[in-house]
Amino acid sequence: MVQKYQSPVRVYKQSFELIMAAYERRFPTCHLIPMFVGSDVMSEFKSEDGSVHVVERRCKLDVDAPRLLKKIAGVDYVYFIQKNALNRQERTLHIEAHNETFASRIVVHEYCSYTVHPDNEEWTCFEQSASLDIKSFFGFESTVEKIAMKQYTSNIKKGKEIIEYYLKQMEQEGINYLPRWTPCTIQKQESKTSTSSRSVSLPQAIPNTNANDGHASRDARCPTSSPSEPLSSTPDDKLDADYIKRYLGDLTPLQESCLIRLRQWLQETHKGKIPKDEHILRFLRARDFNIDKARELLCQSLTWRKQHQVDYLLSTWDPPQVLHDFYAGGWHHHDKDGRPLYVLRLGQMDTKGLVRALGEESLLRHVLSINEEGLRRCEENTNVFGRPINSWTCLVDLEGLNMRHLWRPGVKALLRIIEVVEANYPETLGRLLILRAPRVFPVLWTLVSPFIDENTRKKFLIYAGNDYQGPGGLLDYIDKEVIPDFLGGECMCEVPEGGLVPKALYRTPEELESEDIKLWTETIYQSASVFKGSPHEIMIQIVDASSVITWDFDVCKGDIVFNIYHSKRAPQVPKKDTLGAHGITSPVGNNVQLIDKAWQLGRDYSMVESPLTCKEGESVQGSHVTRWPGFYILQWKFHSMPACATSSLPRVDDVLATLQVSSHKCKVMYYTEIIGSEDFRGSMTSLESSHSGFSQLSAATTSSTQSHSSSMMSREPFPLSESALPSLTHPHDLKSNPDGLLRLSPSFWGQHFSTIYSLRPPVFLRWPLSWRLPFVREPGGTAAIETDASSAS
């Protein structure tokens, strides 16, 4: 298995020239790196003006490995080839390194880059990435991998310390400034340095393993500034080490790498619509930083959030009056660590009455709103206390708990709530304090504990009777000033006292069932199953040409191919039935086939967009500008693995991929919308540069560039002139760079959108329903954004 590493951007608040001078002091050997025995210059090249300097060295390393392993391998030292390419004019240093020893058995590649900070020319940025592939090593592959990762991790930690050590040394020598390279200061003479007769090639492009990442506001963002440089990208693409430490906490180098790599994968597959870094980190921690397991859990959660519109829960959920009066829970200050504190008086709560009066779904939705509010409060406390606050503390008072709380439907509802919260809000509970646990508590604990993750159970602290008042009790975790009055404290707690729910508020099972369905079907998305040989198709009738068909879908399971067709005649809509030859009914959606088998492509219907292959877990948004009236068919078809062309036998990968798709079944969740041409303003060029109103927080759309009628979704921000700024609705939240591009304030959008999703400007967003679609007028026109209020005036 190939091990990969990707560092965040590390920022030195010194000039590039000073950093280079400090870096050169590491050679030919460095006493701060014990394993670095020495290095020899193999070849060297200098340009005539001295701006380019390429050095190739052979580095000798004394790897800390068991003596027996070295004896079996027959080596005492390991040799690496390092090529440094310094460009003083562009102020960049690119470093490539690979192993020479055991090159046929082990492949190690490392790429590093020093560049100028894009926002401050007196600062320097550093990035590195590496890969390790152990093909074979005398049966000690696992041991060698552990040794290599341990050595590499320790060297990563020392990297910045070494540079800072030499910077301090230079400061003691009185070197605080070095001038930049300029052609006039370079003496035109040939280098007298002895070089090898072997020619030295120019540095190769360093692959950008962090491309397309996104993140909202951060203290320092450090990609390279030149588009021609290998690691160049927009400033918002990358995480820097200072930001990670400030907002996410202390992570090991390998944990930082896992976060960056998972973030990059989400950016590539979810088209810019990715969760905040804090949320990604929670899923990684829940799976012990196993990227594959964390990715699977996170993708399932994102699909769940999208299907049930959880991102809009805080703004749309209005708790019934019964919850206000009888749900004995609420937020109450914070604990000693700065975590938001939630108080739940479970013993005083009539769980049976709440379930009978509201139903499971209302209780579940209320608990989800509490979790969403907790995420928001964590973010607030992070800013207030100046350190990462990524979880909250829950205080549960069990006084009054009895057998009445073990009512079977109530326990069933509790178990379902725990299951949903565990799957979608991992690592959000920092500590759970259970106070005044009665004798009946072990019975309840036996029922619910199997459904709670082991890492979460370790955070439970249980106190019986008044034990919480003694040493190691409540005062160790909560300040005396905020201990609730009902626990003997001096702080008045506004949490409702609960009590019995009047039976007059109870509702019949039929009433609850209809209400439950109403709650959870308030979604714009539909689900469908796609089988091999049985695609799912929907028909859209277009009356006016130049209308826009928009779509947004997630591939929940399997791989699919997405097609768009046009027909002048309406296809016959089949009756709802079982899924064709499979003879089963889809449990999650339907399967409809509209294109008659007798129809011929090119005669009865035509393809208007190139087929798009979508992998499992991808989120795709796009639009199509129609050229003709008629009937358009959107099709999701099962994607079959191509057979091996050189052999009649199936490949192992094909067989495994087939086995992973149960019964050749795929699942998609989709939403479509038709927007009339009269609803758009501005030219067709403006239309092609903006997103339709349906799509959620997405920076890019997948669409065909081969069709003349397709609406190509641009990754570029809205063009906006400085003169248009005063006409914007929120001018203080918008600014225009010298390049004339509109940038949107992340803090502003954070007030209008989910607590989970962060904005990486410039992006296209799902606008609130009260807003009109974003558009850009012709050059010289008026504003780029309107609201209902502004248009009415």
Side-chain angles (χ1 to χ4, degrees), residues 529-539 571-575 577-582 590-597 633-636:
S529 297
V530 179
F531 290 85
K532 189 173 184 178
S534 300
H536 178 69
E537 298 163 344
I538 61 173
M539 179 185 67
Q572 184 176 359
V573 180
K575 298 180 180 179
D577 200 352
T578 54
L579 295 177
H582 297 274
N590 57 355
N591 177 278
V592 178
Q593 299 177 52
L594 300 174
I595 299 178
D596 194 288
K597 293 183 179 180
I633 300 171
L634 274 58
Q635 180 193 76
W636 291 268

PDB file of all heavy atoms in Angstrom, residues 529-539 571-575 577-582 590-597 633-636:
ATOM      1  N   SER A 529     -33.707   4.107  -7.751  1.00  0.00           N
ATOM      2  CA  SER A 529     -32.791   2.981  -7.889  1.00  0.00           C
ATOM      3  C   SER A 529     -32.488   2.766  -9.363  1.00  0.00           C
ATOM      4  O   SER A 529     -33.378   2.884 -10.214  1.00  0.00           O
ATOM      5  CB  SER A 529     -33.389   1.711  -7.283  1.00  0.00           C
ATOM      6  OG  SER A 529     -33.592   1.852  -5.897  1.00  0.00           O
ATOM      7  N   VAL A 530     -31.249   2.467  -9.650  1.00  0.00           N
ATOM      8  CA  VAL A 530     -30.807   2.220 -11.021  1.00  0.00           C
ATOM      9  C   VAL A 530     -30.225   0.814 -11.086  1.00  0.00           C
ATOM     10  O   VAL A 530     -29.307   0.488 -10.323  1.00  0.00           O
ATOM     11  CB  VAL A 530     -29.761   3.257 -11.470  1.00  0.00           C
ATOM     12  CG1 VAL A 530     -29.287   2.963 -12.889  1.00  0.00           C
ATOM     13  CG2 VAL A 530     -30.330   4.665 -11.375  1.00  0.00           C
ATOM     14  N   PHE A 531     -30.772   0.001 -11.980  1.00  0.00           N
ATOM     15  CA  PHE A 531     -30.304  -1.367 -12.120  1.00  0.00           C
ATOM     16  C   PHE A 531     -29.586  -1.546 -13.449  1.00  0.00           C
ATOM     17  O   PHE A 531     -29.748  -0.744 -14.376  1.00  0.00           O
ATOM     18  CB  PHE A 531     -31.481  -2.350 -12.052  1.00  0.00           C
ATOM     19  CG  PHE A 531     -32.098  -2.457 -10.688  1.00  0.00           C
ATOM     20  CD1 PHE A 531     -33.063  -1.559 -10.271  1.00  0.00           C
ATOM     21  CD2 PHE A 531     -31.705  -3.451  -9.815  1.00  0.00           C
ATOM     22  CE1 PHE A 531     -33.641  -1.651  -9.019  1.00  0.00           C
ATOM     23  CE2 PHE A 531     -32.274  -3.562  -8.562  1.00  0.00           C
ATOM     24  CZ  PHE A 531     -33.239  -2.660  -8.166  1.00  0.00           C
ATOM     25  N   LYS A 532     -28.818  -2.591 -13.536  1.00  0.00           N
ATOM     26  CA  LYS A 532     -28.179  -2.922 -14.798  1.00  0.00           C
ATOM     27  C   LYS A 532     -29.255  -3.304 -15.803  1.00  0.00           C
ATOM     28  O   LYS A 532     -30.021  -4.231 -15.608  1.00  0.00           O
ATOM     29  CB  LYS A 532     -27.195  -4.077 -14.606  1.00  0.00           C
ATOM     30  CG  LYS A 532     -26.319  -4.336 -15.819  1.00  0.00           C
ATOM     31  CD  LYS A 532     -25.255  -5.363 -15.506  1.00  0.00           C
ATOM     32  CE  LYS A 532     -24.317  -5.540 -16.716  1.00  0.00           C
ATOM     33  NZ  LYS A 532     -23.233  -6.511 -16.414  1.00  0.00           N
ATOM     34  N   GLY A 533     -29.332  -2.536 -16.880  1.00  0.00           N
ATOM     35  CA  GLY A 533     -30.369  -2.766 -17.875  1.00  0.00           C
ATOM     36  C   GLY A 533     -31.656  -2.036 -17.590  1.00  0.00           C
ATOM     37  O   GLY A 533     -32.583  -2.079 -18.401  1.00  0.00           O
ATOM     38  N   SER A 534     -31.755  -1.357 -16.446  1.00  0.00           N
ATOM     39  CA  SER A 534     -32.966  -0.619 -16.083  1.00  0.00           C
ATOM     40  C   SER A 534     -32.595   0.766 -15.579  1.00  0.00           C
ATOM     41  O   SER A 534     -32.488   1.002 -14.371  1.00  0.00           O
ATOM     42  CB  SER A 534     -33.760  -1.377 -15.017  1.00  0.00           C
ATOM     43  OG  SER A 534     -34.153  -2.643 -15.474  1.00  0.00           O
ATOM     44  N   PRO A 535     -32.348   1.712 -16.477  1.00  0.00           N
ATOM     45  CA  PRO A 535     -32.014   3.076 -16.040  1.00  0.00           C
ATOM     46  C   PRO A 535     -33.226   3.780 -15.470  1.00  0.00           C
ATOM     47  O   PRO A 535     -34.375   3.357 -15.691  1.00  0.00           O
ATOM     48  CB  PRO A 535     -31.541   3.743 -17.336  1.00  0.00           C
ATOM     49  CG  PRO A 535     -32.246   2.998 -18.407  1.00  0.00           C
ATOM     50  CD  PRO A 535     -32.360   1.577 -17.943  1.00  0.00           C
ATOM     51  N   HIS A 536     -32.979   4.830 -14.727  1.00  0.00           N
ATOM     52  CA  HIS A 536     -34.066   5.664 -14.231  1.00  0.00           C
ATOM     53  C   HIS A 536     -34.128   6.921 -15.091  1.00  0.00           C
ATOM     54  O   HIS A 536     -33.107   7.576 -15.329  1.00  0.00           O
ATOM     55  CB  HIS A 536     -33.853   6.050 -12.769  1.00  0.00           C
ATOM     56  CG  HIS A 536     -34.933   6.940 -12.233  1.00  0.00           C
ATOM     57  ND1 HIS A 536     -36.220   6.511 -12.020  1.00  0.00           N
ATOM     58  CD2 HIS A 536     -34.914   8.257 -11.885  1.00  0.00           C
ATOM     59  CE1 HIS A 536     -36.946   7.507 -11.555  1.00  0.00           C
ATOM     60  NE2 HIS A 536     -36.169   8.585 -11.468  1.00  0.00           N
ATOM     61  N   GLU A 537     -35.326   7.282 -15.546  1.00  0.00           N
ATOM     62  CA  GLU A 537     -35.503   8.411 -16.460  1.00  0.00           C
ATOM     63  C   GLU A 537     -36.650   9.290 -15.998  1.00  0.00           C
ATOM     64  O   GLU A 537     -37.663   8.802 -15.489  1.00  0.00           O
ATOM     65  CB  GLU A 537     -35.769   7.900 -17.879  1.00  0.00           C
ATOM     66  CG  GLU A 537     -34.622   7.074 -18.446  1.00  0.00           C
ATOM     67  CD  GLU A 537     -35.010   6.243 -19.652  1.00  0.00           C
ATOM     68  OE1 GLU A 537     -36.228   6.062 -19.891  1.00  0.00           O
ATOM     69  OE2 GLU A 537     -34.110   5.755 -20.350  1.00  0.00           O
ATOM     70  N   ILE A 538     -36.502  10.584 -16.176  1.00  0.00           N
ATOM     71  CA  ILE A 538     -37.572  11.535 -15.904  1.00  0.00           C
ATOM     72  C   ILE A 538     -37.767  12.416 -17.134  1.00  0.00           C
ATOM     73  O   ILE A 538     -36.821  12.676 -17.880  1.00  0.00           O
ATOM     74  CB  ILE A 538     -37.284  12.401 -14.664  1.00  0.00           C
ATOM     75  CG1 ILE A 538     -36.008  13.237 -14.869  1.00  0.00           C
ATOM     76  CG2 ILE A 538     -37.145  11.549 -13.424  1.00  0.00           C
ATOM     77  CD1 ILE A 538     -35.766  14.229 -13.740  1.00  0.00           C
ATOM     78  N   MET A 539     -38.986  12.852 -17.340  1.00  0.00           N
ATOM     79  CA  MET A 539     -39.320  13.663 -18.516  1.00  0.00           C
ATOM     80  C   MET A 539     -39.599  15.098 -18.091  1.00  0.00           C
ATOM     81  O   MET A 539     -40.263  15.345 -17.086  1.00  0.00           O
ATOM     82  CB  MET A 539     -40.541  13.082 -19.220  1.00  0.00           C
ATOM     83  CG  MET A 539     -40.982  13.877 -20.449  1.00  0.00           C
ATOM     84  SD  MET A 539     -42.513  13.222 -21.160  1.00  0.00           S
ATOM     85  CE  MET A 539     -43.692  13.614 -19.863  1.00  0.00           C
ATOM     86  N   PRO A 571     -42.750  10.644 -24.653  1.00  0.00           N
ATOM     87  CA  PRO A 571     -42.673   9.215 -24.365  1.00  0.00           C
ATOM     88  C   PRO A 571     -43.854   8.773 -23.514  1.00  0.00           C
ATOM     89  O   PRO A 571     -44.447   9.580 -22.787  1.00  0.00           O
ATOM     90  CB  PRO A 571     -41.356   9.085 -23.592  1.00  0.00           C
ATOM     91  CG  PRO A 571     -41.148  10.417 -22.979  1.00  0.00           C
ATOM     92  CD  PRO A 571     -41.733  11.411 -23.933  1.00  0.00           C
ATOM     93  N   GLN A 572     -44.193   7.512 -23.609  1.00  0.00           N
ATOM     94  CA  GLN A 572     -45.314   6.983 -22.848  1.00  0.00           C
ATOM     95  C   GLN A 572     -44.866   6.699 -21.421  1.00  0.00           C
ATOM     96  O   GLN A 572     -43.917   5.952 -21.198  1.00  0.00           O
ATOM     97  CB  GLN A 572     -45.849   5.702 -23.487  1.00  0.00           C
ATOM     98  CG  GLN A 572     -47.095   5.150 -22.802  1.00  0.00           C
ATOM     99  CD  GLN A 572     -47.647   3.935 -23.531  1.00  0.00           C
ATOM    100  OE1 GLN A 572     -47.105   3.529 -24.551  1.00  0.00           O
ATOM    101  NE2 GLN A 572     -48.715   3.364 -23.006  1.00  0.00           N
ATOM    102  N   VAL A 573     -45.551   7.320 -20.465  1.00  0.00           N
ATOM    103  CA  VAL A 573     -45.189   7.134 -19.066  1.00  0.00           C
ATOM    104  C   VAL A 573     -45.729   5.794 -18.593  1.00  0.00           C
ATOM    105  O   VAL A 573     -46.941   5.562 -18.647  1.00  0.00           O
ATOM    106  CB  VAL A 573     -45.754   8.269 -18.195  1.00  0.00           C
ATOM    107  CG1 VAL A 573     -45.375   8.064 -16.734  1.00  0.00           C
ATOM    108  CG2 VAL A 573     -45.259   9.614 -18.701  1.00  0.00           C
ATOM    109  N   PRO A 574     -44.861   4.889 -18.143  1.00  0.00           N
ATOM    110  CA  PRO A 574     -45.331   3.569 -17.709  1.00  0.00           C
ATOM    111  C   PRO A 574     -46.071   3.650 -16.394  1.00  0.00           C
ATOM    112  O   PRO A 574     -45.903   4.598 -15.620  1.00  0.00           O
ATOM    113  CB  PRO A 574     -44.037   2.766 -17.565  1.00  0.00           C
ATOM    114  CG  PRO A 574     -43.008   3.792 -17.253  1.00  0.00           C
ATOM    115  CD  PRO A 574     -43.416   5.036 -18.000  1.00  0.00           C
ATOM    116  N   LYS A 575     -46.894   2.646 -16.144  1.00  0.00           N
ATOM    117  CA  LYS A 575     -47.575   2.568 -14.859  1.00  0.00           C
ATOM    118  C   LYS A 575     -46.585   2.154 -13.786  1.00  0.00           C
ATOM    119  O   LYS A 575     -45.626   1.462 -14.053  1.00  0.00           O
ATOM    120  CB  LYS A 575     -48.723   1.547 -14.931  1.00  0.00           C
ATOM    121  CG  LYS A 575     -49.803   1.916 -15.931  1.00  0.00           C
ATOM    122  CD  LYS A 575     -50.886   0.853 -15.943  1.00  0.00           C
ATOM    123  CE  LYS A 575     -51.985   1.210 -16.945  1.00  0.00           C
ATOM    124  NZ  LYS A 575     -53.037   0.167 -16.980  1.00  0.00           N
ATOM    125  N   ASP A 577     -44.939   0.091 -11.276  1.00  0.00           N
ATOM    126  CA  ASP A 577     -44.898  -1.359 -11.168  1.00  0.00           C
ATOM    127  C   ASP A 577     -43.587  -1.755 -10.524  1.00  0.00           C
ATOM    128  O   ASP A 577     -42.764  -0.931 -10.181  1.00  0.00           O
ATOM    129  CB  ASP A 577     -45.028  -1.987 -12.565  1.00  0.00           C
ATOM    130  CG  ASP A 577     -45.488  -3.438 -12.493  1.00  0.00           C
ATOM    131  OD1 ASP A 577     -45.548  -3.971 -11.365  1.00  0.00           O
ATOM    132  OD2 ASP A 577     -45.757  -4.020 -13.556  1.00  0.00           O
ATOM    133  N   THR A 578     -43.402  -3.036 -10.410  1.00  0.00           N
ATOM    134  CA  THR A 578     -42.134  -3.518  -9.886  1.00  0.00           C
ATOM    135  C   THR A 578     -41.031  -3.204 -10.865  1.00  0.00           C
ATOM    136  O   THR A 578     -41.277  -2.906 -12.039  1.00  0.00           O
ATOM    137  CB  THR A 578     -42.207  -5.037  -9.640  1.00  0.00           C
ATOM    138  OG1 THR A 578     -42.620  -5.656 -10.852  1.00  0.00           O
ATOM    139  CG2 THR A 578     -43.191  -5.357  -8.541  1.00  0.00           C
ATOM    140  N   LEU A 579     -39.809  -3.331 -10.435  1.00  0.00           N
ATOM    141  CA  LEU A 579     -38.665  -2.901 -11.216  1.00  0.00           C
ATOM    142  C   LEU A 579     -38.348  -3.885 -12.322  1.00  0.00           C
ATOM    143  O   LEU A 579     -37.413  -4.687 -12.243  1.00  0.00           O
ATOM    144  CB  LEU A 579     -37.458  -2.711 -10.301  1.00  0.00           C
ATOM    145  CG  LEU A 579     -37.615  -1.593  -9.271  1.00  0.00           C
ATOM    146  CD1 LEU A 579     -36.400  -1.542  -8.374  1.00  0.00           C
ATOM    147  CD2 LEU A 579     -37.828  -0.273  -9.954  1.00  0.00           C
ATOM    148  N   GLY A 580     -39.138  -3.863 -13.367  1.00  0.00           N
ATOM    149  CA  GLY A 580     -38.853  -4.636 -14.576  1.00  0.00           C
ATOM    150  C   GLY A 580     -38.650  -6.100 -14.308  1.00  0.00           C
ATOM    151  O   GLY A 580     -39.398  -6.755 -13.583  1.00  0.00           O
ATOM    152  N   ALA A 581     -37.617  -6.637 -14.925  1.00  0.00           N
ATOM    153  CA  ALA A 581     -37.351  -8.060 -14.845  1.00  0.00           C
ATOM    154  C   ALA A 581     -36.856  -8.472 -13.473  1.00  0.00           C
ATOM    155  O   ALA A 581     -36.835  -9.657 -13.136  1.00  0.00           O
ATOM    156  CB  ALA A 581     -36.323  -8.458 -15.903  1.00  0.00           C
ATOM    157  N   HIS A 582     -36.464  -7.515 -12.646  1.00  0.00           N
ATOM    158  CA  HIS A 582     -35.934  -7.875 -11.334  1.00  0.00           C
ATOM    159  C   HIS A 582     -37.034  -8.305 -10.382  1.00  0.00           C
ATOM    160  O   HIS A 582     -36.787  -9.014  -9.405  1.00  0.00           O
ATOM    161  CB  HIS A 582     -35.165  -6.687 -10.735  1.00  0.00           C
ATOM    162  CG  HIS A 582     -33.967  -6.313 -11.545  1.00  0.00           C
ATOM    163  ND1 HIS A 582     -32.747  -6.918 -11.384  1.00  0.00           N
ATOM    164  CD2 HIS A 582     -33.812  -5.407 -12.545  1.00  0.00           C
ATOM    165  CE1 HIS A 582     -31.879  -6.396 -12.237  1.00  0.00           C
ATOM    166  NE2 HIS A 582     -32.506  -5.476 -12.941  1.00  0.00           N
ATOM    167  N   ASN A 590     -38.024   4.964  -6.725  1.00  0.00           N
ATOM    168  CA  ASN A 590     -38.671   4.255  -7.819  1.00  0.00           C
ATOM    169  C   ASN A 590     -37.692   4.104  -8.966  1.00  0.00           C
ATOM    170  O   ASN A 590     -36.562   4.566  -8.918  1.00  0.00           O
ATOM    171  CB  ASN A 590     -39.924   5.007  -8.262  1.00  0.00           C
ATOM    172  CG  ASN A 590     -39.593   6.441  -8.678  1.00  0.00           C
ATOM    173  OD1 ASN A 590     -38.466   6.887  -8.555  1.00  0.00           O
ATOM    174  ND2 ASN A 590     -40.592   7.145  -9.167  1.00  0.00           N
ATOM    175  N   ASN A 591     -38.157   3.400  -9.994  1.00  0.00           N
ATOM    176  CA  ASN A 591     -37.357   3.211 -11.194  1.00  0.00           C
ATOM    177  C   ASN A 591     -38.307   3.312 -12.371  1.00  0.00           C
ATOM    178  O   ASN A 591     -39.206   2.479 -12.516  1.00  0.00           O
ATOM    179  CB  ASN A 591     -36.652   1.856 -11.165  1.00  0.00           C
ATOM    180  CG  ASN A 591     -35.859   1.612 -12.438  1.00  0.00           C
ATOM    181  OD1 ASN A 591     -36.395   1.192 -13.448  1.00  0.00           O
ATOM    182  ND2 ASN A 591     -34.563   1.878 -12.371  1.00  0.00           N
ATOM    183  N   VAL A 592     -38.114   4.353 -13.180  1.00  0.00           N
ATOM    184  CA  VAL A 592     -39.020   4.607 -14.301  1.00  0.00           C
ATOM    185  C   VAL A 592     -38.221   4.633 -15.591  1.00  0.00           C
ATOM    186  O   VAL A 592     -37.185   5.308 -15.669  1.00  0.00           O
ATOM    187  CB  VAL A 592     -39.766   5.952 -14.114  1.00  0.00           C
ATOM    188  CG1 VAL A 592     -40.672   6.226 -15.302  1.00  0.00           C
ATOM    189  CG2 VAL A 592     -40.568   5.942 -12.820  1.00  0.00           C
ATOM    190  N   GLN A 593     -38.694   3.899 -16.597  1.00  0.00           N
ATOM    191  CA  GLN A 593     -38.071   3.902 -17.918  1.00  0.00           C
ATOM    192  C   GLN A 593     -39.050   4.496 -18.917  1.00  0.00           C
ATOM    193  O   GLN A 593     -40.180   4.026 -19.056  1.00  0.00           O
ATOM    194  CB  GLN A 593     -37.688   2.476 -18.326  1.00  0.00           C
ATOM    195  CG  GLN A 593     -36.687   1.824 -17.373  1.00  0.00           C
ATOM    196  CD  GLN A 593     -36.368   0.400 -17.754  1.00  0.00           C
ATOM    197  OE1 GLN A 593     -36.007   0.133 -18.896  1.00  0.00           O
ATOM    198  NE2 GLN A 593     -36.506  -0.515 -16.804  1.00  0.00           N
ATOM    199  N   LEU A 594     -38.619   5.553 -19.605  1.00  0.00           N
ATOM    200  CA  LEU A 594     -39.494   6.290 -20.521  1.00  0.00           C
ATOM    201  C   LEU A 594     -39.176   6.023 -21.985  1.00  0.00           C
ATOM    202  O   LEU A 594     -40.066   6.055 -22.835  1.00  0.00           O
ATOM    203  CB  LEU A 594     -39.381   7.794 -20.238  1.00  0.00           C
ATOM    204  CG  LEU A 594     -39.776   8.248 -18.818  1.00  0.00           C
ATOM    205  CD1 LEU A 594     -39.480   9.727 -18.639  1.00  0.00           C
ATOM    206  CD2 LEU A 594     -41.240   7.956 -18.557  1.00  0.00           C
ATOM    207  N   ILE A 595     -37.900   5.808 -22.287  1.00  0.00           N
ATOM    208  CA  ILE A 595     -37.509   5.620 -23.686  1.00  0.00           C
ATOM    209  C   ILE A 595     -37.928   4.233 -24.145  1.00  0.00           C
ATOM    210  O   ILE A 595     -37.469   3.221 -23.609  1.00  0.00           O
ATOM    211  CB  ILE A 595     -35.993   5.816 -23.854  1.00  0.00           C
ATOM    212  CG1 ILE A 595     -35.590   7.238 -23.434  1.00  0.00           C
ATOM    213  CG2 ILE A 595     -35.567   5.542 -25.288  1.00  0.00           C
ATOM    214  CD1 ILE A 595     -34.104   7.510 -23.516  1.00  0.00           C
ATOM    215  N   ASP A 596     -38.801   4.201 -25.128  1.00  0.00           N
ATOM    216  CA  ASP A 596     -39.292   2.925 -25.645  1.00  0.00           C
ATOM    217  C   ASP A 596     -38.158   2.159 -26.317  1.00  0.00           C
ATOM    218  O   ASP A 596     -37.289   2.747 -26.977  1.00  0.00           O
ATOM    219  CB  ASP A 596     -40.418   3.178 -26.652  1.00  0.00           C
ATOM    220  CG  ASP A 596     -41.196   1.912 -26.968  1.00  0.00           C
ATOM    221  OD1 ASP A 596     -40.641   1.039 -27.671  1.00  0.00           O
ATOM    222  OD2 ASP A 596     -42.339   1.798 -26.496  1.00  0.00           O
ATOM    223  N   LYS A 597     -38.151   0.850 -26.120  1.00  0.00           N
ATOM    224  CA  LYS A 597     -37.099   0.030 -26.693  1.00  0.00           C
ATOM    225  C   LYS A 597     -37.108   0.066 -28.219  1.00  0.00           C
ATOM    226  O   LYS A 597     -36.101  -0.223 -28.868  1.00  0.00           O
ATOM    227  CB  LYS A 597     -37.229  -1.411 -26.201  1.00  0.00           C
ATOM    228  CG  LYS A 597     -36.955  -1.558 -24.701  1.00  0.00           C
ATOM    229  CD  LYS A 597     -37.024  -3.015 -24.263  1.00  0.00           C
ATOM    230  CE  LYS A 597     -36.719  -3.138 -22.762  1.00  0.00           C
ATOM    231  NZ  LYS A 597     -36.784  -4.545 -22.305  1.00  0.00           N
ATOM    232  N   ILE A 633     -35.401  14.307 -21.702  1.00  0.00           N
ATOM    233  CA  ILE A 633     -35.342  13.135 -20.828  1.00  0.00           C
ATOM    234  C   ILE A 633     -33.988  13.115 -20.128  1.00  0.00           C
ATOM    235  O   ILE A 633     -32.940  13.113 -20.784  1.00  0.00           O
ATOM    236  CB  ILE A 633     -35.549  11.833 -21.623  1.00  0.00           C
ATOM    237  CG1 ILE A 633     -36.917  11.851 -22.325  1.00  0.00           C
ATOM    238  CG2 ILE A 633     -35.432  10.614 -20.706  1.00  0.00           C
ATOM    239  CD1 ILE A 633     -37.111  10.704 -23.291  1.00  0.00           C
ATOM    240  N   LEU A 634     -34.020  13.141 -18.795  1.00  0.00           N
ATOM    241  CA  LEU A 634     -32.808  12.998 -17.992  1.00  0.00           C
ATOM    242  C   LEU A 634     -32.698  11.538 -17.571  1.00  0.00           C
ATOM    243  O   LEU A 634     -33.650  10.971 -17.030  1.00  0.00           O
ATOM    244  CB  LEU A 634     -32.858  13.906 -16.759  1.00  0.00           C
ATOM    245  CG  LEU A 634     -32.378  15.356 -16.947  1.00  0.00           C
ATOM    246  CD1 LEU A 634     -33.170  16.070 -18.031  1.00  0.00           C
ATOM    247  CD2 LEU A 634     -32.459  16.127 -15.638  1.00  0.00           C
ATOM    248  N   GLN A 635     -31.555  10.945 -17.834  1.00  0.00           N
ATOM    249  CA  GLN A 635     -31.389   9.503 -17.614  1.00  0.00           C
ATOM    250  C   GLN A 635     -30.175   9.223 -16.725  1.00  0.00           C
ATOM    251  O   GLN A 635     -29.093   9.774 -16.927  1.00  0.00           O
ATOM    252  CB  GLN A 635     -31.213   8.787 -18.967  1.00  0.00           C
ATOM    253  CG  GLN A 635     -31.021   7.281 -18.859  1.00  0.00           C
ATOM    254  CD  GLN A 635     -30.549   6.662 -20.153  1.00  0.00           C
ATOM    255  OE1 GLN A 635     -29.386   6.779 -20.524  1.00  0.00           O
ATOM    256  NE2 GLN A 635     -31.471   6.023 -20.876  1.00  0.00           N
ATOM    257  N   TRP A 636     -30.382   8.363 -15.730  1.00  0.00           N
ATOM    258  CA  TRP A 636     -29.297   7.829 -14.910  1.00  0.00           C
ATOM    259  C   TRP A 636     -29.180   6.339 -15.215  1.00  0.00           C
ATOM    260  O   TRP A 636     -30.120   5.571 -14.960  1.00  0.00           O
ATOM    261  CB  TRP A 636     -29.579   8.037 -13.422  1.00  0.00           C
ATOM    262  CG  TRP A 636     -29.527   9.462 -13.001  1.00  0.00           C
ATOM    263  CD1 TRP A 636     -28.466  10.153 -12.518  1.00  0.00           C
ATOM    264  CD2 TRP A 636     -30.618  10.415 -13.020  1.00  0.00           C
ATOM    265  NE1 TRP A 636     -28.794  11.455 -12.239  1.00  0.00           N
ATOM    266  CE2 TRP A 636     -30.112  11.646 -12.526  1.00  0.00           C
ATOM    267  CE3 TRP A 636     -31.959  10.341 -13.390  1.00  0.00           C
ATOM    268  CZ2 TRP A 636     -30.907  12.781 -12.408  1.00  0.00           C
ATOM    269  CZ3 TRP A 636     -32.744  11.464 -13.283  1.00  0.00           C
ATOM    270  CH2 TRP A 636     -32.226  12.675 -12.799  1.00  0.00           C
TER     271      TRP A 636
END
